[in-house]
Amino acid sequence: MKKLALMVLLLFAGNSQAYDGLSSELSHLVGGALLAGVVTRSFQESEHRAWIGFAASSVAIVLTEHRNYEKPDRRHGAQLDVTWHVLGAALGAWSTDKYLLTPFVSPKHVGLVWTRQY
């Protein structure tokens, strides 16, 4: 059933049109948050997992919007899309790291213990 729903969604995705309205920009915010959250979750063993999630999501939107930025009539829309997506990526990476994953504990100091009997 999931595969059928995905196929129907992809079938109608070609007919969708974006615009620079609030719902379009909120979809970029949510998409950035979800992508950053998934990447943050996949790097949960890393100390810098939130930064990795934020960076991966931000790079993804910059690369996908690059072709729209080259068109003079779409330049403003591409900048809006990137801005909202990066804000969502920051929110998604931070909230996933802070509230959904267990805290990362790493040894900060390595030392020598010296004991003496009295």
Side-chain angles (χ1 to χ4, degrees), residues 65-80:
E65 288 294 327
H66 176 70
R67 63 187 158 97
N68 287 337
Y69 189 75
E70 291 176 346
K71 301 173 187 172
D73 58 335
R74 270 297 287 152
R75 195 165 281 172
H76 177 70
Q79 290 172 345
L80 277 175

Side-chain angles (χ1 to χ4, degrees), residues 37-115:
V38 167
V39 173
T40 301
R41 167 74 168 87
S42 65
F43 283 94
Q44 67 181 350
E45 299 298 323
S46 175
E47 184 178 359
H48 305 291
R49 59 191 178 195
W51 284 108
I52 294 170
F54 171 72
S57 182
S58 299
V59 166
I61 191 64
V62 167
L63 291 177
T64 57
E65 288 294 327
H66 176 70
R67 63 187 158 97
N68 287 337
Y69 189 75
E70 291 176 346
K71 301 173 187 172
D73 58 335
R74 270 297 287 152
R75 195 165 281 172
H76 177 70
Q79 290 172 345
L80 277 175
D81 294 347
V82 169
T83 302
W84 281 94
H85 189 98
V86 168
L87 287 173
L91 180 66
W94 174 78
S95 61
T96 302
D97 184 41
K98 182 86 170 161
Y99 297 112
L100 297 178
L101 299 177
T102 57
F104 184 81
V105 179
S106 66
K108 295 292 182 187
H109 303 287
V110 176
L112 177 67
V113 177
W114 181 41
T115 60

